[in-house]
Amino acid sequence: PLTALRSDLDQIIRAGIRAVDAERRVRHTLGTLPREGERVWIVAAGKASAAMARAAVDVLGSSVAGGLMVSPVDVQAPGLLEVVVAEHPQPGIG
């Protein structure tokens, strides 16, 4: 009984984490949108900005014209995106 409860709890926690995974959600959402060949600009902000931007660049490919990532730490920008290190959503002291 306790082992089954732990197993159920583990499955619930893992499903919750997968459901809010920023990179996974962006890939899924952008993958469902119709594409009309227009160039797009990407803006991503926050702790998950790198994961979200990476997913968007992967899915949108050559449609990406450029973009901006606002991240609390310096991260590698995918493709044509630029990175600004800043706090989000409220401005910080530094």
Side-chain angles (χ1 to χ4, degrees):
L2 189 54
T3 303
L5 181 59
R6 283 184 181 170
S7 176
D8 290 347
L9 182 58
D10 182 60
Q11 289 179 23
I12 291 166
I13 290 170
R14 289 177 189 271
I17 291 169
R18 278 192 311 274
V20 297
D21 180 273
E23 185 170 355
R24 185 171 175 266
R25 296 306 315 153
V26 169
R27 284 183 190 283
H28 172 77
T29 301
L30 291 179
T32 63
L33 297 176
R35 294 199 199 163
E36 298 178 21
E38 294 184 22
R39 305 281 287 164
V40 297
W41 288 84
I42 297 171
V43 177
K47 291 179 280 192
S49 62
M52 293 185 298
R54 185 175 43 251
V57 168
D58 286 350
V59 172
L60 299 172
S62 62
S63 298
V64 177
L68 177 68
M69 293 171 38
V70 179
S71 174
V73 295
D74 194 14
V75 293
Q76 179 81 23
L80 302 171
L81 279 63
E82 294 183 37
V83 176
V84 173
V85 178
E87 295 183 29
H88 163 77
Q90 299 298 324
I93 312 171

